[in-house]
Amino acid sequence: MSLYRLLRPLFFRLDPEWIHRFTLSAVGAAGRVPPVRSLLRGLFAADDPRLRVEAGGLAFPNPVGLAAGFDKNGVAMEGLAAAGFGFVEVGSVSAYPSAGNPERPRLFRVPKDEAIVVNYGVPNDGAEAVAQRFASTKLPVPLGINLVETNTGRPADADEVVEELVGAMQPFLGLADYATLNLNCPNTTSGRSPFDDPVILRSLLAGYARYDAMPPTFLKVVPTTDPGTIERTLATMDPFPFVKGIVFGLPTGKPYANLQTPRRQLDAMPGTLCGPPVRELIDASIKAWYPRMDHGRHVIVGTGGISTAEDVYEKIRLGATIVQLYTSLVYHGPGLVKRINRGLCRLMSRDGLTRVSDAVGLDNPHPNPRSHPNPRSHPNPRPHPRRAVDA
Ligand SMILES: Cc1cc2nc3c(=O)[nH]c(=O)nc-3n(C[C@H](O)[C@H](O)[C@H](O)COP(=O)(O)O)c2cc1C
């Protein structure tokens, strides 16, 4: 049994938001000391050439990244990279600082389903403050910034949101290796997304297109299998070469089917459910989107309910090129990423595959309307700019 498993009952007696802050401070402090960083890497990183993968023109040492929400303000980036993640996504960050939702508690454990309900409402220090932390940090893995509209507590005008979200990117230009646009955050107080309207989404992307140094960008959208929505979104992103793919966010509300936790208990927790209960819906979305995408231009970043190598492998075989996780860290601790990466190597060996990228889409054959002559290659893979730096 791992040390984390032994300590978990103690952690679970503490307030979830407090322990989140405490963990970030501890990982942040550990990551700032080079020998401790090396120790963490030795303990938690799985370096294997079979795990290397390219997505959106960036090189990833392994396909398992940290999802947005864990390190919202970029205070523990080095420690997290040393914990073996193939990439780290900071945020969500908004143009202006926000305290998030005022009610407490706003984070709930759902142990019977190994899930979390989150109602933070994207508290963060604001783009300028977080970008300063990016400026003084060098990571051995790609570092992404996840952007969201400021949670003001009131519905915002669509033009204002577009202007604000475009402005939030400015301080990160030249500092973030990639960007994720959190287009359907269920936790901003307005609750609705203006970007369901393709005209507004196009105007947002046109705003970013004016930046010369716009990095590879992923759109974080609501999981859906609806062909009309998929086609509309793909058509809207098509004219913008800096858009490199899709990430699936969380469904609004709680998918109650097949949960172990009684419904009335969940109803007492305001917010959005994360973890294994959302896996099925997101996997169905990957299955529906992948055959419709141009694989030479766009990738899928698979999220949602990953706890094992099998979960990752399933998402990759359905069409994800890289993946992200968060909730399972709370239940399985920091050794999880290494276990998953080792497990992936085992699964590849079993299936006679030599590179993780060879598994992408194997279970999702696609008579592809937007197919590319050489779907696995990117015309211009960029070496990772931070790669040469000490971890
Ligand atoms: C506590 C918590 C906070 C989150 N905050 C954000 C956020 O600020 N921005 C965002 O794009 N996603 C956020 N997410 C969603 C995750 O990035 C991820 O998409 C989702 O949790 C599914 O992955 P998982 O099942 O491995 O947790 C958050 C998730 C959790 C559990």
Side-chain angles (χ1 to χ4, degrees):
M1 188 191 268
S2 71
L3 180 63
Y4 186 81
R5 274 297 173 96
L6 281 173
L7 294 174
R8 199 175 72 178
L10 172 67
F11 294 153
F12 277 23
R13 295 172 84 129
L14 301 166
D15 171 61
E17 191 167 338
W18 183 87
I19 194 96
H20 181 192
R21 278 200 306 273
F22 173 81
T23 309
L24 275 175
S25 305
V27 177
R32 281 189 283 279
V33 184
V36 180
R37 234 167 30 223
S38 305
L39 185 71
L40 287 177
R41 279 201 70 76
L43 282 173
F44 295 125
D47 289 323
D48 189 308
R50 289 174 292 175
L51 295 168
R52 289 182 200 148
V53 61
E54 181 264 317
L58 292 170
F60 297 80
N62 72 68
V64 184
L66 177 68
F70 187 77
D71 188 2
K72 288 176 184 291
N73 291 310
V75 295
M77 299 180 273
E78 285 135 317
L80 290 165
F85 286 105
F87 57 109
V88 172
E89 188 164 310
V90 165
S92 294
V93 166
S94 46
Y96 307 105
S98 164
N101 292 338
E103 319 77 59
R104 300 287 193 281
R106 31 186 208 178
L107 195 58
F108 306 86
R109 299 182 194 98
V110 188
K112 286 199 182 108
D113 291 289
E114 295 202 345
I116 286 180
V117 172
V118 55
N119 194 34
Y120 267 141
V122 286
N124 72 93
D125 295 345
E128 289 287 349
V130 177
Q132 277 177 25
R133 295 182 193 122
F134 273 48
S136 57
T137 303
K138 297 197 185 315
L139 294 195
V141 299
L143 172 61
I145 184 65
N146 177 308
L147 300 176
V148 74
E149 69 174 282
T150 308
N151 183 4
T152 56
R154 59 176 172 82
D157 169 67
D159 290 340
E160 268 175 53
V161 176
V162 166
E163 195 186 324
E164 195 205 296
L165 265 176
V166 173
M169 187 64 214
Q170 177 121 43
F172 293 99
L173 295 172
L175 298 176
D177 297 315
Y178 75 89
T180 297
L181 310 179
N182 187 0
L183 300 181
N184 279 281
C185 179
N187 274 348
T188 50
T189 318
S190 68
R192 281 175 304 108
S193 168
F195 302 107
D196 296 340
D197 178 344
V199 175
I200 299 174
L201 178 55
R202 195 173 311 119
S203 133
L204 177 74
L205 298 178
Y208 289 117
R210 287 198 283 276
Y211 293 134
D212 286 340
M214 192 63 193
T217 298
F218 303 102
L219 309 186
K220 195 162 184 175
V221 299
V222 161
T224 179
T225 57
D226 172 55
T229 309
I230 299 172
E231 290 296 339
R232 235 183 355 262
T233 309
L234 291 173
T236 308
M237 62 201 234
D238 194 62
F240 300 99
F242 66 88
V243 178
K244 299 297 184 188
I246 289 290
V247 194
F248 296 106
L250 294 165
T252 310
K254 305 187 181 84
Y256 289 102
N258 306 321
L259 291 184
Q260 304 300 312
T261 312
R263 187 174 178 144
R264 77 187 143 63
Q265 216 169 309
L266 280 167
D267 282 339
M269 303 172 182
T272 309
L273 196 61
C274 316
V278 303
R279 186 172 54 232
E280 215 172 289
L281 175 61
I282 294 187
D283 286 358
S285 305
I286 298 175
K287 190 158 195 245
W289 282 69
Y290 181 72
R292 296 184 155 87
M293 293 169 72
D294 175 346
H295 305 142
R297 288 187 58 198
H298 298 137
V299 298
I300 293 176
V301 184
T303 51
I306 291 171
S307 319
T308 63
E310 283 75 11
D311 296 335
V312 173
Y313 200 50
E314 190 172 342
K315 282 193 188 340
I316 292 177
R317 290 185 63 113
L318 284 174
T321 299
I322 50 177
V323 300
Q324 296 177 314
L325 58 82
Y326 179 167
T327 301
S328 56
L329 275 184
V330 174
Y331 289 93
H332 301 281
L336 180 70
V337 184
K338 187 175 192 170
R339 283 200 295 280
I340 287 180
N341 274 319
R342 285 196 167 155
L344 267 181
C345 291
R346 230 179 15 254
L347 292 165
M348 284 189 281
S349 300
R350 182 197 70 188
D351 295 346
L353 304 175
T354 49
R355 293 177 309 173
V356 74
S357 51
D358 292 339
V360 177
L362 278 183
D363 291 339
N364 197 357
H366 47 91
N368 185 1
R370 289 191 177 82
S371 70
H372 185 274
N374 183 6
R376 295 275 179 264
S377 73
H378 186 276
N380 230 341
R382 279 200 319 191
H384 182 260
R386 297 162 190 269
R387 172 61 42 88
V389 180
D390 164 38

